[in-house]
């Protein structure tokens, strides 16, 4: 399994807006629709990646834990579905139902949103503050498929907890590692 690191986008970067279909509901959603009053988590994931499968239950726990505390979240799938049909919108809907995704699962068919966020791998995480400025990008935690570490969301949770406790988010952030985004063409 190929391992690709996330691009460490510059902290302070403004969250790019989007308008994408939520495969769970069929509705178009934008950044303003998923934004939280304390912060907003944008996750790039897909269905077939073993790195995403490894953490998908933790993603649901994390979103459920932090939603009542003022964090919005959404997952975006940007892979080329022609060459990776397991990531097609109807399959996305199946995965969202199976794992009980409590957050929108958005389809980026043009891949323009992945490019705007400089997403490089799945999973790739971007946490924005209340003003939609980037305060964390990188890994969920140190767990990887087969390394014996149970997914806890530690790194991302520490960043979200810092926001809740009015502390600065540590700039010492590790890139995420996962499957590369499957670019079309």
């Amino acid at each position: 399994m190929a391992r690709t690191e996330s691009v460490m986008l510059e902290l302070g970067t403004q969250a790019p807006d989007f308008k994408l279909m939520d495969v769970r509901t069929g509705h178009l959603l934008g950044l303003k629709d998923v934004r939280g009053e304390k912060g907003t988590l944008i996750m790039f994931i897909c269905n077939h990646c073993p790195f995403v499968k490894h953490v998908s239950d933790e993603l649901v726990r994390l979103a459920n834990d932090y939603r009542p505390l003022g964090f919005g979240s959404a997952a975006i799938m940007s892979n080329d579905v022609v060459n990776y049909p397991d990531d097609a919108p109807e399959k996305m809907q199946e995965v969202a139902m199976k794992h009980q995704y409590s957050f929108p699962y958005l389809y980026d068919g043009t891949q323009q949103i992945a490019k705007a966020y400089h997403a490089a791998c799945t999973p790739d995480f971007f946490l924005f503050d209340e003003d939609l400025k980037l305060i964390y990008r990188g890994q969920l935690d140190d767990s990887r498929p087969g390394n014996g570490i149970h997914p806890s969301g530690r790194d991302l949770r520490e960043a979200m907890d810092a926001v809740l406790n009015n502390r600065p988010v540590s700039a010492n952030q590790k890139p995420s590692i996962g499957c590369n985004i499957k670019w079309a063409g």
Side-chain angles (χ1 to χ4, degrees), residues 134-171:
L134 186 66
I135 54 173
Y136 180 86
R137 75 285 194 244
Q139 70 176 11
L140 179 69
D141 55 35
D142 288 327
S143 71
R144 305 286 184 267
N147 77 353
I149 299 173
H150 185 74
S152 66
R154 190 191 79 199
D155 293 49
L156 191 48
R157 286 175 182 273
E158 284 178 3
M160 296 170 97
D161 289 344
V163 170
L164 290 172
N165 293 304
N166 296 312
R167 293 189 328 253
V169 175
S170 172

mmCIF file of all heavy atoms in Angstrom, residues 134-171:
data_model
loop_
_atom_site.group_PDB
_atom_site.id
_atom_site.type_symbol
_atom_site.label_atom_id
_atom_site.label_comp_id
_atom_site.label_asym_id
_atom_site.label_seq_id
_atom_site.Cartn_x
_atom_site.Cartn_y
_atom_site.Cartn_z
ATOM 1 N N LEU A 134 -6.879 28.406 8.983
ATOM 2 C CA LEU A 134 -6.301 27.092 9.263
ATOM 3 C C LEU A 134 -5.456 27.125 10.531
ATOM 4 O O LEU A 134 -4.543 27.941 10.657
ATOM 5 C CB LEU A 134 -5.439 26.636 8.083
ATOM 6 C CG LEU A 134 -4.873 25.225 8.166
ATOM 7 C CD1 LEU A 134 -5.993 24.186 8.114
ATOM 8 C CD2 LEU A 134 -3.885 24.983 7.026
ATOM 9 N N ILE A 135 -5.799 26.232 11.478
ATOM 10 C CA ILE A 135 -5.041 26.148 12.733
ATOM 11 C C ILE A 135 -4.415 24.778 12.940
ATOM 12 O O ILE A 135 -3.539 24.617 13.778
ATOM 13 C CB ILE A 135 -5.912 26.524 13.958
ATOM 14 C CG1 ILE A 135 -7.194 25.691 14.009
ATOM 15 C CG2 ILE A 135 -6.210 28.013 13.960
ATOM 16 C CD1 ILE A 135 -8.026 25.886 15.262
ATOM 17 N N TYR A 136 -4.859 23.788 12.174
ATOM 18 C CA TYR A 136 -4.266 22.454 12.270
ATOM 19 C C TYR A 136 -4.421 21.762 10.931
ATOM 20 O O TYR A 136 -5.484 21.820 10.314
ATOM 21 C CB TYR A 136 -4.951 21.607 13.355
ATOM 22 C CG TYR A 136 -4.344 20.228 13.463
ATOM 23 C CD1 TYR A 136 -3.231 20.003 14.270
ATOM 24 C CD2 TYR A 136 -4.845 19.164 12.721
ATOM 25 C CE1 TYR A 136 -2.636 18.750 14.336
ATOM 26 C CE2 TYR A 136 -4.252 17.914 12.780
ATOM 27 C CZ TYR A 136 -3.147 17.708 13.581
ATOM 28 O OH TYR A 136 -2.556 16.480 13.624
ATOM 29 N N ARG A 137 -3.358 21.092 10.499
ATOM 30 C CA ARG A 137 -3.431 20.221 9.330
ATOM 31 C C ARG A 137 -2.467 19.084 9.589
ATOM 32 O O ARG A 137 -1.412 19.267 10.189
ATOM 33 C CB ARG A 137 -3.133 20.944 8.022
ATOM 34 C CG ARG A 137 -1.666 21.276 7.785
ATOM 35 C CD ARG A 137 -1.259 22.446 8.655
ATOM 36 N NE ARG A 137 0.010 23.035 8.265
ATOM 37 C CZ ARG A 137 1.091 23.029 9.051
ATOM 38 N NH1 ARG A 137 1.083 22.431 10.230
ATOM 39 N NH2 ARG A 137 2.184 23.622 8.659
ATOM 40 N N GLY A 138 -2.881 17.905 9.213
ATOM 41 C CA GLY A 138 -2.010 16.766 9.446
ATOM 42 C C GLY A 138 -2.768 15.536 9.876
ATOM 43 O O GLY A 138 -3.905 15.316 9.472
ATOM 44 N N GLN A 139 -2.123 14.749 10.733
ATOM 45 C CA GLN A 139 -2.646 13.433 11.069
ATOM 46 C C GLN A 139 -3.715 13.455 12.157
ATOM 47 O O GLN A 139 -3.770 14.364 12.977
ATOM 48 C CB GLN A 139 -1.511 12.506 11.490
ATOM 49 C CG GLN A 139 -0.883 12.825 12.818
ATOM 50 C CD GLN A 139 0.162 11.792 13.213
ATOM 51 O OE1 GLN A 139 0.568 10.943 12.424
ATOM 52 N NE2 GLN A 139 0.598 11.852 14.467
ATOM 53 N N LEU A 140 -4.525 12.404 12.132
ATOM 54 C CA LEU A 140 -5.507 12.162 13.184
ATOM 55 C C LEU A 140 -4.780 11.754 14.463
ATOM 56 O O LEU A 140 -5.033 12.271 15.542
ATOM 57 C CB LEU A 140 -6.461 11.054 12.736
ATOM 58 C CG LEU A 140 -7.551 10.635 13.710
ATOM 59 C CD1 LEU A 140 -8.579 11.745 13.866
ATOM 60 C CD2 LEU A 140 -8.223 9.354 13.233
ATOM 61 N N ASP A 141 -3.867 10.803 14.313
ATOM 62 C CA ASP A 141 -3.076 10.269 15.433
ATOM 63 C C ASP A 141 -1.955 9.416 14.843
ATOM 64 O O ASP A 141 -1.781 9.377 13.624
ATOM 65 C CB ASP A 141 -3.958 9.473 16.407
ATOM 66 C CG ASP A 141 -4.741 8.347 15.744
ATOM 67 O OD1 ASP A 141 -4.220 7.718 14.790
ATOM 68 O OD2 ASP A 141 -5.872 8.090 16.175
ATOM 69 N N ASP A 142 -1.220 8.714 15.683
ATOM 70 C CA ASP A 142 -0.095 7.884 15.226
ATOM 71 C C ASP A 142 -0.509 6.504 14.731
ATOM 72 O O ASP A 142 0.343 5.725 14.297
ATOM 73 C CB ASP A 142 0.926 7.704 16.357
ATOM 74 C CG ASP A 142 1.710 8.973 16.650
ATOM 75 O OD1 ASP A 142 1.975 9.752 15.696
ATOM 76 O OD2 ASP A 142 2.067 9.200 17.825
ATOM 77 N N SER A 143 -1.790 6.159 14.778
ATOM 78 C CA SER A 143 -2.217 4.825 14.345
ATOM 79 C C SER A 143 -2.161 4.722 12.820
ATOM 80 O O SER A 143 -2.431 5.689 12.106
ATOM 81 C CB SER A 143 -3.620 4.506 14.852
ATOM 82 O OG SER A 143 -4.584 5.265 14.174
ATOM 83 N N ARG A 144 -1.785 3.540 12.353
ATOM 84 C CA ARG A 144 -1.779 3.210 10.932
ATOM 85 C C ARG A 144 -2.213 1.752 10.827
ATOM 86 O O ARG A 144 -2.019 0.970 11.771
ATOM 87 C CB ARG A 144 -0.385 3.355 10.314
ATOM 88 C CG ARG A 144 0.291 4.703 10.490
ATOM 89 C CD ARG A 144 -0.301 5.791 9.610
ATOM 90 N NE ARG A 144 0.436 7.039 9.746
ATOM 91 C CZ ARG A 144 0.124 8.017 10.583
ATOM 92 N NH1 ARG A 144 -0.926 7.920 11.376
ATOM 93 N NH2 ARG A 144 0.835 9.112 10.629
ATOM 94 N N PRO A 145 -2.741 1.350 9.692
ATOM 95 C CA PRO A 145 -3.107 -0.062 9.550
ATOM 96 C C PRO A 145 -1.892 -0.955 9.827
ATOM 97 O O PRO A 145 -0.817 -0.736 9.271
ATOM 98 C CB PRO A 145 -3.535 -0.181 8.080
ATOM 99 C CG PRO A 145 -3.899 1.202 7.670
ATOM 100 C CD PRO A 145 -3.021 2.120 8.482
ATOM 101 N N GLY A 146 -2.061 -1.895 10.739
ATOM 102 C CA GLY A 146 -1.024 -2.867 11.014
ATOM 103 C C GLY A 146 0.066 -2.447 11.976
ATOM 104 O O GLY A 146 0.963 -3.231 12.261
ATOM 105 N N ASN A 147 0.017 -1.203 12.526
ATOM 106 C CA ASN A 147 1.100 -0.816 13.443
ATOM 107 C C ASN A 147 0.764 -1.079 14.913
ATOM 108 O O ASN A 147 1.560 -0.771 15.791
ATOM 109 C CB ASN A 147 1.560 0.634 13.229
ATOM 110 C CG ASN A 147 0.628 1.696 13.798
ATOM 111 O OD1 ASN A 147 -0.469 1.407 14.278
ATOM 112 N ND2 ASN A 147 1.060 2.947 13.719
ATOM 113 N N GLY A 148 -0.416 -1.635 15.173
ATOM 114 C CA GLY A 148 -0.768 -2.015 16.534
ATOM 115 C C GLY A 148 -1.266 -0.882 17.413
ATOM 116 O O GLY A 148 -1.586 -1.094 18.579
ATOM 117 N N ILE A 149 -1.338 0.328 16.886
ATOM 118 C CA ILE A 149 -1.834 1.469 17.656
ATOM 119 C C ILE A 149 -3.308 1.664 17.321
ATOM 120 O O ILE A 149 -3.681 1.779 16.156
ATOM 121 C CB ILE A 149 -1.031 2.759 17.353
ATOM 122 C CG1 ILE A 149 0.437 2.553 17.723
ATOM 123 C CG2 ILE A 149 -1.628 3.953 18.086
ATOM 124 C CD1 ILE A 149 1.348 3.705 17.304
ATOM 125 N N HIS A 150 -4.143 1.678 18.359
ATOM 126 C CA HIS A 150 -5.585 1.853 18.180
ATOM 127 C C HIS A 150 -5.890 3.325 17.878
ATOM 128 O O HIS A 150 -5.363 4.217 18.529
ATOM 129 C CB HIS A 150 -6.322 1.409 19.449
ATOM 130 C CG HIS A 150 -7.800 1.437 19.315
ATOM 131 N ND1 HIS A 150 -8.490 0.495 18.584
ATOM 132 C CD2 HIS A 150 -8.719 2.301 19.790
ATOM 133 C CE1 HIS A 150 -9.785 0.784 18.621
ATOM 134 N NE2 HIS A 150 -9.946 1.873 19.351
ATOM 135 N N PRO A 151 -6.753 3.602 16.882
ATOM 136 C CA PRO A 151 -7.105 4.992 16.579
ATOM 137 C C PRO A 151 -7.750 5.688 17.783
ATOM 138 O O PRO A 151 -8.694 5.182 18.372
ATOM 139 C CB PRO A 151 -8.113 4.871 15.439
ATOM 140 C CG PRO A 151 -7.871 3.534 14.830
ATOM 141 C CD PRO A 151 -7.407 2.661 15.963
ATOM 142 N N SER A 152 -7.208 6.851 18.134
ATOM 143 C CA SER A 152 -7.719 7.624 19.271
ATOM 144 C C SER A 152 -8.060 9.058 18.872
ATOM 145 O O SER A 152 -8.722 9.761 19.619
ATOM 146 C CB SER A 152 -6.672 7.679 20.379
ATOM 147 O OG SER A 152 -5.540 8.420 19.937
ATOM 148 N N GLY A 153 -7.549 9.493 17.721
ATOM 149 C CA GLY A 153 -7.739 10.880 17.309
ATOM 150 C C GLY A 153 -6.912 11.859 18.116
ATOM 151 O O GLY A 153 -7.176 13.056 18.090
ATOM 152 N N ARG A 154 -5.892 11.376 18.826
ATOM 153 C CA ARG A 154 -5.165 12.184 19.798
ATOM 154 C C ARG A 154 -4.682 13.531 19.257
ATOM 155 O O ARG A 154 -4.930 14.567 19.872
ATOM 156 C CB ARG A 154 -3.975 11.409 20.365
ATOM 157 C CG ARG A 154 -3.345 12.143 21.558
ATOM 158 C CD ARG A 154 -2.032 11.549 21.954
ATOM 159 N NE ARG A 154 -1.056 12.066 21.005
ATOM 160 C CZ ARG A 154 0.114 11.532 20.779
ATOM 161 N NH1 ARG A 154 0.478 10.459 21.402
ATOM 162 N NH2 ARG A 154 0.935 12.062 19.908
ATOM 163 N N ASP A 155 -4.009 13.552 18.120
ATOM 164 C CA ASP A 155 -3.437 14.798 17.620
ATOM 165 C C ASP A 155 -4.524 15.826 17.289
ATOM 166 O O ASP A 155 -4.435 16.992 17.668
ATOM 167 C CB ASP A 155 -2.571 14.532 16.391
ATOM 168 C CG ASP A 155 -1.328 13.721 16.706
ATOM 169 O OD1 ASP A 155 -1.451 12.676 17.374
ATOM 170 O OD2 ASP A 155 -0.234 14.118 16.287
ATOM 171 N N LEU A 156 -5.534 15.367 16.583
ATOM 172 C CA LEU A 156 -6.631 16.262 16.206
ATOM 173 C C LEU A 156 -7.439 16.686 17.431
ATOM 174 O O LEU A 156 -7.811 17.858 17.572
ATOM 175 C CB LEU A 156 -7.518 15.569 15.179
ATOM 176 C CG LEU A 156 -8.556 16.412 14.466
ATOM 177 C CD1 LEU A 156 -7.987 17.716 13.923
ATOM 178 C CD2 LEU A 156 -9.181 15.605 13.347
ATOM 179 N N ARG A 157 -7.683 15.762 18.353
ATOM 180 C CA ARG A 157 -8.408 16.098 19.578
ATOM 181 C C ARG A 157 -7.641 17.132 20.412
ATOM 182 O O ARG A 157 -8.246 18.033 20.997
ATOM 183 C CB ARG A 157 -8.678 14.830 20.405
ATOM 184 C CG ARG A 157 -9.775 13.949 19.821
ATOM 185 C CD ARG A 157 -9.921 12.647 20.609
ATOM 186 N NE ARG A 157 -10.937 11.787 20.041
ATOM 187 C CZ ARG A 157 -12.234 11.839 20.332
ATOM 188 N NH1 ARG A 157 -12.681 12.711 21.215
ATOM 189 N NH2 ARG A 157 -13.084 11.015 19.761
ATOM 190 N N GLU A 158 -6.313 17.014 20.467
ATOM 191 C CA GLU A 158 -5.522 17.998 21.214
ATOM 192 C C GLU A 158 -5.689 19.389 20.611
ATOM 193 O O GLU A 158 -5.805 20.380 21.342
ATOM 194 C CB GLU A 158 -4.047 17.597 21.241
ATOM 195 C CG GLU A 158 -3.761 16.458 22.207
ATOM 196 C CD GLU A 158 -2.304 16.019 22.204
ATOM 197 O OE1 GLU A 158 -1.469 16.632 21.493
ATOM 198 O OE2 GLU A 158 -2.004 15.044 22.925
ATOM 199 N N ALA A 159 -5.717 19.471 19.288
ATOM 200 C CA ALA A 159 -5.914 20.765 18.624
ATOM 201 C C ALA A 159 -7.308 21.324 18.929
ATOM 202 O O ALA A 159 -7.458 22.513 19.243
ATOM 203 C CB ALA A 159 -5.710 20.622 17.115
ATOM 204 N N MET A 160 -8.324 20.485 18.880
ATOM 205 C CA MET A 160 -9.695 20.933 19.154
ATOM 206 C C MET A 160 -9.851 21.325 20.624
ATOM 207 O O MET A 160 -10.516 22.315 20.941
ATOM 208 C CB MET A 160 -10.683 19.859 18.723
ATOM 209 C CG MET A 160 -10.644 19.618 17.218
ATOM 210 S SD MET A 160 -11.561 18.171 16.674
ATOM 211 C CE MET A 160 -13.101 18.935 16.165
ATOM 212 N N ASP A 161 -9.220 20.563 21.503
ATOM 213 C CA ASP A 161 -9.271 20.903 22.930
ATOM 214 C C ASP A 161 -8.579 22.236 23.211
ATOM 215 O O ASP A 161 -9.031 23.005 24.065
ATOM 216 C CB ASP A 161 -8.643 19.793 23.774
ATOM 217 C CG ASP A 161 -9.502 18.529 23.818
ATOM 218 O OD1 ASP A 161 -10.698 18.605 23.470
ATOM 219 O OD2 ASP A 161 -8.954 17.469 24.189
ATOM 220 N N ALA A 162 -7.484 22.516 22.503
ATOM 221 C CA ALA A 162 -6.797 23.800 22.676
ATOM 222 C C ALA A 162 -7.749 24.950 22.333
ATOM 223 O O ALA A 162 -7.822 25.945 23.062
ATOM 224 C CB ALA A 162 -5.536 23.858 21.810
ATOM 225 N N VAL A 163 -8.499 24.802 21.254
ATOM 226 C CA VAL A 163 -9.480 25.828 20.870
ATOM 227 C C VAL A 163 -10.505 26.008 21.986
ATOM 228 O O VAL A 163 -10.807 27.134 22.395
ATOM 229 C CB VAL A 163 -10.184 25.456 19.541
ATOM 230 C CG1 VAL A 163 -11.360 26.381 19.267
ATOM 231 C CG2 VAL A 163 -9.186 25.475 18.383
ATOM 232 N N LEU A 164 -11.023 24.898 22.496
ATOM 233 C CA LEU A 164 -12.049 24.962 23.537
ATOM 234 C C LEU A 164 -11.536 25.606 24.824
ATOM 235 O O LEU A 164 -12.297 26.235 25.556
ATOM 236 C CB LEU A 164 -12.574 23.562 23.853
ATOM 237 C CG LEU A 164 -13.410 22.919 22.753
ATOM 238 C CD1 LEU A 164 -13.718 21.468 23.097
ATOM 239 C CD2 LEU A 164 -14.693 23.700 22.509
ATOM 240 N N ASN A 165 -10.244 25.448 25.092
ATOM 241 C CA ASN A 165 -9.643 25.988 26.313
ATOM 242 C C ASN A 165 -8.916 27.309 26.089
ATOM 243 O O ASN A 165 -8.120 27.731 26.933
ATOM 244 C CB ASN A 165 -8.699 24.943 26.921
ATOM 245 C CG ASN A 165 -9.472 23.733 27.423
ATOM 246 O OD1 ASN A 165 -10.384 23.871 28.236
ATOM 247 N ND2 ASN A 165 -9.143 22.554 26.924
ATOM 248 N N ASN A 166 -9.194 27.947 24.939
ATOM 249 C CA ASN A 166 -8.600 29.249 24.601
ATOM 250 C C ASN A 166 -7.073 29.234 24.701
ATOM 251 O O ASN A 166 -6.466 30.193 25.163
ATOM 252 C CB ASN A 166 -9.182 30.362 25.480
ATOM 253 C CG ASN A 166 -10.655 30.547 25.222
ATOM 254 O OD1 ASN A 166 -11.078 30.633 24.066
ATOM 255 N ND2 ASN A 166 -11.444 30.573 26.282
ATOM 256 N N ARG A 167 -6.494 28.118 24.261
ATOM 257 C CA ARG A 167 -5.035 28.003 24.196
ATOM 258 C C ARG A 167 -4.628 27.967 22.726
ATOM 259 O O ARG A 167 -5.398 27.488 21.873
ATOM 260 C CB ARG A 167 -4.563 26.709 24.865
ATOM 261 C CG ARG A 167 -4.776 26.655 26.370
ATOM 262 C CD ARG A 167 -4.083 25.443 26.998
ATOM 263 N NE ARG A 167 -4.016 24.285 26.127
ATOM 264 C CZ ARG A 167 -4.749 23.175 26.267
ATOM 265 N NH1 ARG A 167 -5.615 23.065 27.254
ATOM 266 N NH2 ARG A 167 -4.620 22.158 25.424
ATOM 267 N N PRO A 168 -3.418 28.404 22.425
ATOM 268 C CA PRO A 168 -2.961 28.289 21.035
ATOM 269 C C PRO A 168 -2.771 26.817 20.648
ATOM 270 O O PRO A 168 -2.366 26.004 21.487
ATOM 271 C CB PRO A 168 -1.634 29.039 21.005
ATOM 272 C CG PRO A 168 -1.233 29.236 22.433
ATOM 273 C CD PRO A 168 -2.452 29.073 23.289
ATOM 274 N N VAL A 169 -3.078 26.502 19.417
ATOM 275 C CA VAL A 169 -2.855 25.159 18.899
ATOM 276 C C VAL A 169 -1.366 25.032 18.601
ATOM 277 O O VAL A 169 -0.782 25.912 17.973
ATOM 278 C CB VAL A 169 -3.694 24.907 17.625
ATOM 279 C CG1 VAL A 169 -3.372 23.563 17.002
ATOM 280 C CG2 VAL A 169 -5.184 25.022 17.934
ATOM 281 N N SER A 170 -0.763 23.963 19.062
ATOM 282 C CA SER A 170 0.667 23.743 18.831
ATOM 283 C C SER A 170 0.969 23.753 17.335
ATOM 284 O O SER A 170 0.250 23.134 16.542
ATOM 285 C CB SER A 170 1.103 22.404 19.427
ATOM 286 O OG SER A 170 2.430 22.112 19.044
ATOM 287 N N ALA A 171 2.027 24.438 16.951
ATOM 288 C CA ALA A 171 2.459 24.468 15.548
ATOM 289 C C ALA A 171 3.257 23.214 15.195
ATOM 290 O O ALA A 171 3.571 22.984 14.028
ATOM 291 C CB ALA A 171 3.276 25.716 15.274
#
